[in-house]
Amino acid sequence: MQYSFAARTEVMLSSPLHLIRSLANRESFISFAEELPAEELFPVSSLEAAAAAVISNSPTALQYGEPQGFLPLREWLSEDWKRTKRIDVGPDQILLTTGVQQAMDLLARVYVEPGDRVLVESPASPGYLQVFKMQGAVVIPVDSDQNGLIPERLLEQIERTQPKLLVASPNFSNPTGVLWSLERRKEVLDLCREHSILIIEDNSYGDLYFEKLSQREFTSLYPSLFAMDGSGSGQGVLYIGSFSKTIAPALRTGWAAGSRPLIDMLAAAKQLADWQSSTLNQRFLHNMLESSAFDIHEHIKMLNREYDTRLKLMNGLLQRPAWQDASYVIPKGGMFIWLQLPDGLDSLALLKCALGKGAAFLPGTLCYPDGRGSGWIRLNFTHPGRDELLLGMSLIGEAIGEFTARS
Amino acid sequence: MQYSFAARTEVMLSSPLHLIRSLANRESFISFAEELPAEELFPVSSLEAAAAAVISNSPTALQYGEPQGFLPLREWLSEDWKRTKRIDVGPDQILLTTGVQQAMDLLARVYVEPGDRVLVESPASPGYLQVFKMQGAVVIPVDSDQNGLIPERLLEQIERTQPKLLVASPNFSNPTGVLWSLERRKEVLDLCREHSILIIEDNSYGDLYFEKLSQREFTSLYPSLFAMDGSGSGQGVLYIGSFSKTIAPALRTGWAAGSRPLIDMLAAAKQLADWQSSTLNQRFLHNMLESSAFDIHEHIKMLNREYDTRLKLMNGLLQRPAWQDASYVIPKGGMFIWLQLPDGLDSLALLKCALGKGAAFLPGTLCYPDGRGSGWIRLNFTHPGRDELLLGMSLIGEAIGEFTARS
């Protein structure tokens, strides 16, 4: 029979994202394109102990659980955020999701009508752009610089488009790795409050900072918009994040935190979407986090030392001749270097050449809703080990060499 | 700030389902309202062994996995279905989801435009009705009887409404527990083919049959619409199901199987929705299913013997005087008895009274999109153990007694 798919599916099929991801997933590639943490740093033995304890403890762990997510894990988050992030929310203000992607998707489903304008910090994570397009939103990029979103650009777009939402990642935006200044945080929050624009604050990468600061010091210098808005009492910010980058992606455990009306609505949508995420995995996490043998904050410090080492290695490789006309700013955290290619070099053409040699990266065009970004690429420095980093960067360097030699 | 939620969210808030479920989830209730398998029958030690093996085997198990789902598990399903269900699909025709609820939701998102007509076998599972309403569909019930969906009613609705989809559960429909006859299966499939109506065949309860038949014998007598349509080659049926009722719900692992164009589209939507389900849980399942210490078909036989015993116990309790004016048909499988209350008794009023005594059931009105069903209730017989069954049925019996005494 002839299928008659909904018109909105055209958005999904028209994107090159799917193809590039499946190409780069092949094992024979060295991929700088993905958003993957380092496998060799996963807390395997802690998780193994947690799984054994949870499964043997009570068959209830294998039953359907609470749609909003395993309560003790939400309680743990609530306590931890109070101590380390100056965020003060109750467990009933937290919804556990299947990663941040689901948190973003649920928000889009309950908040966006076709034709609504959604502002997105630009450049942006490709997966998010499509979520809003699927709901029929008009996605409008708002430019950022090295201090974060530019307030003047934000105000221009607010006045021009009367948007409903702003999507932003003040801590180590994907792809740019920018850490917003305190002043910018204040200005953006004030503008959005004034115009009743809901902010989706994505903190996926917020714990991966490489400066020598304690969690509390870091939080004082760079408070989340959510904390500045009164942790839900201001009602103006939805705070999303996950354990994918700090513990392990396969647990697929993320969250949305916000005011009760917002979380209640998202929880209702979650039940229709999949009834609930794996409460078994949520129990594993809770058991680990409560165990005396595992300290997540020490674990994150270890990750940050290692990722900083990999970033320095990549930065060293970028000093080689092939890259001499590329430009970038060394990020203070996160997982990516956002790099401008030598003049006239197109990222998709370069990708095709690099794939032929066995290395991949994310072309910048995927990070813009409007075709810009062809001169930019995103390089992930957390997943490849030392040898892969050396080889992969050399292969991409070769590809660049071939293009620049021709011109 | 004032939130401006999308209009479609009104569907979610207007349903009494959310409230009743949260009420019935309280531990102090004996609940016949839920769709829960028996916890004491979960294969706990097999799962424990699988979890230990998977986690210690390779850190890759904790990394992001394939969005379409762990390939070896899809291969296992493909082989098993060939052997036991006469279904012949490749692993690339299977998408792993977070339970059947997500399979249904994804299909609604890629296939339904606002205003589209969706036919639903009536009465129907409450969670499904809302999924289609959320997408703006006009949900149209099609009556069924003890042999399944009634072809004459189906044709009437096809001619009247020109629908795009039919949602049906030929094996032990929720809530009625009806097992469609072979003739009805043929008639319904033919009608839908003729009018290019895509069928969503929900097989959630299909393995829970209590007749003394082998899997192959059962499949010969009651082939799935999907197998009859050529397992995807006919393109007219999407086949959904899960391990929630046969192994454990907390693994949140279900599937959609169909033609490649349909599965590719659902897989693209799945990536936007949550990127992927827990591949860790999918690996646990695969490890168990491949283990010599666990045989899922023997496990299901054991479940069926035990559930049949519970059904017989409930049937015995329904012979007591309080229930004498109720009527129902004893199902041949599944998890529910669908029961018509004595004349004039309203299921919601009865529920309120029963909740006061400490027992809950599902009122029939939730199973219709149009307000019918007030004289019906759905009783789950798989979750409560023997003592709970005795006590809970006696409490509801008391509630019925109070109403009938008054009239």
Side-chain angles (χ1 to χ4, degrees), chain B residues 191-264:
Chain B
L191 275 174
C192 287
R193 278 176 163 168
E194 203 176 308
H195 295 86
S196 285
I197 296 163
L198 180 64
I199 299 175
I200 320 304
E201 179 178 26
D202 175 17
N203 196 44
S204 295
Y205 302 97
D207 289 331
L208 304 179
Y209 61 88
F210 309 150
E211 293 180 287
K212 301 286 169 284
L213 297 170
S214 74
Q215 277 260 348
R216 288 189 68 88
E217 287 166 336
F218 181 83
T219 300
S220 299
L221 290 169
Y222 308 106
S224 63
L225 303 179
F226 187 52
M228 293 166 72
D229 191 48
S231 300
S233 64
Q235 309 233 346
V237 183
L238 183 76
Y239 180 75
I240 69 175
S242 84
F243 289 109
S244 294
K245 310 305 191 245
T246 53
I247 295 189
L251 295 164
R252 306 301 300 122
T253 303
W255 55 77
S259 70
R260 274 296 298 276
L262 203 48
I263 294 302
D264 287 352

Side-chain angles (χ1 to χ4, degrees), chain A residues 134-146:
Chain A
M134 250 297 261
Q135 286 307 128
V138 180
V139 175
I140 298 157
V142 182
D143 289 341
S144 57
D145 62 19
Q146 278 311 308

Side-chain angles (χ1 to χ4, degrees), chain B residues 24 49 94 98 114 130 132 155 157 161 170-171 292 303 319 330 336:
Chain B
I94 301 172
T98 304
Q130 282 202 309
F132 290 101
L155 183 58
Q157 295 297 1
T161 67
N171 290 359
S292 59
L303 290 179
Q319 308 310 315
I330 304 173
F336 310 108

Side-chain angles (χ1 to χ4, degrees), chain A residues 175-232:
Chain A
T176 62
V178 165
L179 178 64
W180 293 16
S181 69
L182 182 58
E183 201 187 341
R184 287 287 176 87
R185 289 169 195 250
K186 284 181 183 153
E187 289 174 323
V188 167
L189 183 61
D190 285 347
L191 274 173
C192 287
R193 277 176 164 168
E194 204 176 305
H195 295 87
S196 286
I197 296 163
L198 180 63
I199 299 175
I200 318 305
E201 179 178 26
D202 174 18
N203 197 45
S204 294
Y205 302 96
D207 288 331
L208 304 179
Y209 60 87
F210 308 149
E211 293 180 288
K212 300 286 172 283
L213 296 170
S214 74
Q215 276 260 350
R216 289 189 66 88
E217 288 166 335
F218 180 83
T219 300
S220 300
L221 290 169
Y222 307 106
S224 63
L225 303 180
F226 187 52
M228 293 166 74
D229 191 48
S231 299

Side-chain angles (χ1 to χ4, degrees), chain A residues 92-405:
Chain A
D92 56 350
Q93 286 176 264
I94 302 172
L95 169 71
L96 299 181
T97 59
T98 304
V100 283
Q101 183 76 23
Q102 186 178 46
M104 195 69 90
D105 185 52
L106 291 174
L107 189 278
R109 295 180 79 179
V110 305
Y111 214 76
V112 175
E113 304 274 12
D116 279 347
R117 277 77 57 205
V118 174
L119 303 182
V120 177
E121 180 183 4
S122 177
S125 167
Y128 293 164
L129 297 178
Q130 281 202 310
V131 161
F132 290 101
K133 285 186 187 168
M134 250 297 261
Q135 286 307 128
V138 180
V139 175
I140 298 157
V142 182
D143 289 341
S144 57
D145 62 19
Q146 278 311 308
N147 293 311
L149 205 69
I150 304 169
E152 294 74 23
R153 297 283 165 284
L154 177 60
L155 184 58
E156 273 170 35
Q157 295 295 3
I158 290 174
E159 289 176 340
R160 196 175 68 81
T161 67
Q162 298 175 291
K164 222 170 165 179
L165 283 175
L166 167 68
V167 181
S169 310
N171 291 358
F172 315 117
S173 298
N174 172 3
T176 62
V178 165
L179 178 64
W180 293 16
S181 69
L182 182 58
E183 201 187 341
R184 287 287 176 87
R185 289 169 195 250
K186 284 181 183 153
E187 289 174 323
V188 167
L189 183 61
D190 285 347
L191 274 173
C192 287
R193 277 176 164 168
E194 204 176 305
H195 295 87
S196 286
I197 296 163
L198 180 63
I199 299 175
I200 318 305
E201 179 178 26
D202 174 18
N203 197 45
S204 294
Y205 302 96
D207 288 331
L208 304 179
Y209 60 87
F210 308 149
E211 293 180 288
K212 300 286 172 283
L213 296 170
S214 74
Q215 276 260 350
R216 289 189 66 88
E217 288 166 335
F218 180 83
T219 300
S220 300
L221 290 169
Y222 307 106
S224 63
L225 303 180
F226 187 52
M228 293 166 74
D229 191 48
S231 299
S233 64
Q235 310 233 344
V237 182
L238 183 77
Y239 180 75
I240 68 175
S242 85
F243 289 109
S244 294
K245 310 304 190 247
T246 54
I247 295 189
L251 295 164
R252 305 301 299 123
T253 302
W255 53 77
S259 70
R260 275 295 300 274
L262 203 48
I263 294 302
D264 288 352
M265 189 63 91
L266 292 172
K270 165 93 180 135
Q271 293 185 46
L272 290 188
D274 62 14
W275 187 230
Q276 61 200 239
S277 297
S278 170
T279 45
L280 185 64
N281 293 358
Q282 294 165 9
R283 283 172 189 258
F284 292 171
L285 276 165
H286 176 254
N287 187 290
M288 267 181 90
L289 292 164
E290 289 287 358
S291 143
S292 58
F294 179 77
D295 179 329
I296 188 174
H297 298 294
E298 288 304 317
H299 180 72
I300 291 171
K301 273 188 204 164
M302 178 277 289
L303 290 179
N304 286 340
R305 282 192 302 272
E306 178 61 26
Y307 288 164
D308 189 28
T309 302
R310 295 181 188 199
L311 170 61
K312 289 199 169 92
L313 175 58
M314 184 175 270
N315 185 39
L317 297 170
L318 289 169
Q319 307 312 312
R320 293 189 174 174
W323 298 91
Q324 66 182 355
D325 295 324
S327 58
Y328 61 96
V329 174
I330 304 173
K332 291 177 181 165
M335 294 174 71
F336 309 108
I337 287 181
W338 178 241
L339 178 141
Q340 186 166 24
L341 295 170
D343 255 8
L345 222 172
D346 177 77
S347 62
L348 274 171
L350 181 65
L351 177 62
K352 208 172 157 187
C353 178
L355 283 172
K357 295 176 183 294
F361 53 79
L362 192 85
T365 37
L366 294 186
C367 301
Y368 288 92
D370 52 9
R372 283 185 290 164
S374 66
W376 292 80
I377 66 174
R378 188 191 76 181
L379 294 167
N380 166 262
F381 57 81
T382 59
H383 185 246
R386 187 184 165 79
D387 292 347
E388 285 179 307
L389 254 169
L390 290 169
L391 177 57
M393 290 298 288
S394 155
L395 294 172
I396 302 174
E398 267 180 34
I400 292 178
E402 287 177 21
F403 276 90
T404 46

Side-chain angles (χ1 to χ4, degrees), chain A residues 50-66 70 276-287, chain B residues 27 37-40 42-44 47-48 247-252 281 284 383:
Chain A
V54 165
I55 297 174
S56 64
N57 182 49
S58 159
T60 305
L62 304 183
Q63 188 56 279
Y64 286 102
E66 294 150 277
F70 187 51
Q276 61 200 239
S277 297
S278 170
T279 45
L280 185 64
N281 293 358
Q282 294 165 9
R283 283 172 189 258
F284 292 171
L285 276 165
H286 176 254
N287 187 290
Chain B
E27 302 221 344
E39 279 152 44
E40 61 276 24
F42 289 150
V44 173
L47 183 63
E48 201 180 335
I247 295 189
L251 295 164
R252 306 301 300 122
N281 293 358
F284 292 171
H383 185 247

